[in-house]
């Protein structure tokens, strides 16, 4: 095992627990106190994935591979971050959405409703993705941009 569950608190009626590193791996040192999970199903014991700072994964969401969540980012409702993807700042992902490869979410960006990011795509500012939107390649969604309804940006 690479981590155990530590102290708890209640978030939106859900009891969440801090993750505590049991060994050093990736960007994590043994003893580091990480972010919050609802249970061990939210953060894989495999790979170098980690939840840092006050970031949180709940409601059947999963951090896996070498993915990282930082700052106050949140992932809810069956969403997944995988590979080398990163979430920073106040980024939020929910409702079956996913991040893969080297994708990044920054600032106050939000992803909803089964939307996905692949490759080296990036969201920042107050950008939002809804309703099965997809980003691939080096696509960027910046500022107050929005993608909706089966949109694809490559």
């Amino acid at each position: 095992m690479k981590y155990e569950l530590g102290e708890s608190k209640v978030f939106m009626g859900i009891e969440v627990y801090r993750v505590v590193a049991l060994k050093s791996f990736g960007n994590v040192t043994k003893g580091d106190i990480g972010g919050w999970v609802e249970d061990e199903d939210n953060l894989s014991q495999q790979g170098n994935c980690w939840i840092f700072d006050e970031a949180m994964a709940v409601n059947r969401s999963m951090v896996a591979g070498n993915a990282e969540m930082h700052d106050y980012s949140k992932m809810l409702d069956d969403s997944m971050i995988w590979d080398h993807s990163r979430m920073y700042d106040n980024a939020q992902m929910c409702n079956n959405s996913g991040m893969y490869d080297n994708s990044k979410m920054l600032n106050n960006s939000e992803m909803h409703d089964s939307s996905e990011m692949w490759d080296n795509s990036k969201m920042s500012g107050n950008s939002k993705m809804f309703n099965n939107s997809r980003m691939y390649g080096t696509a960027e969604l910046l500022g107050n941009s929005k993608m909706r309804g089966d949109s694809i940006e490559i």
Side-chain angles (χ1 to χ4, degrees):
M1 291 184 47
K2 70 179 185 184
Y3 72 89
E4 65 183 0
L5 302 180
E7 70 174 291
S8 68
K9 71 176 183 178
V10 175
F11 168 77
M12 292 177 33
I14 301 167
E15 189 164 12
V16 294
Y17 302 88
R18 281 263 189 210
V19 292
V20 180
L22 296 175
K23 64 181 183 178
S24 296
F25 58 92
N27 295 321
V28 178
T29 302
K30 181 180 179 178
D32 280 358
I33 296 175
W36 302 90
V37 296
E38 183 176 0
D39 58 45
E40 290 185 3
D41 291 334
N42 299 122
L43 177 62
S44 175
Q45 292 280 359
Q46 307 300 313
N48 291 325
C49 58
W50 191 245
I51 302 173
F52 293 87
D53 311 310
E54 295 296 316
M56 184 179 299
V58 297
N59 301 121
R60 298 168 310 279
S61 291
M62 169 61 96
V63 181
N66 296 309
E68 294 178 359
M69 294 179 69
H70 294 266
D71 306 313
Y72 292 90
S73 58
K74 289 187 178 46
M75 189 168 50
L76 309 141
D77 308 324
D78 299 299
S79 294
M80 174 177 265
I81 182 171
W82 192 265
D83 300 323
H84 296 276
S85 295
R86 304 284 188 265
M87 292 178 74
Y88 297 98
D89 306 315
N90 295 304
Q92 294 187 33
M93 179 170 35
C94 60
N95 307 110
N96 300 300
S97 294
M99 295 176 67
Y100 309 94
D101 303 321
N102 295 301
S103 55
K104 289 181 178 51
M105 290 181 75
L106 306 146
N107 308 121
N108 297 309
S109 57
E110 297 178 18
M111 192 176 354
H112 303 269
D113 312 321
S114 301
S115 294
E116 294 180 350
M117 297 177 68
W118 295 84
D119 305 321
N120 295 302
S121 57
K122 177 181 169 183
M123 292 179 72
S124 65
N126 296 310
S127 59
K128 293 179 177 39
M129 292 176 68
F130 302 97
N131 307 105
N132 302 303
S133 298
R134 307 277 185 268
M135 289 178 61
Y136 298 96
T138 57
E140 292 186 353
L141 198 59
L142 310 170
N144 294 313
S145 309
K146 293 180 176 62
M147 286 181 69
R148 297 183 181 185
D150 299 315
S151 302
I152 295 176
E153 186 167 326
I154 299 175

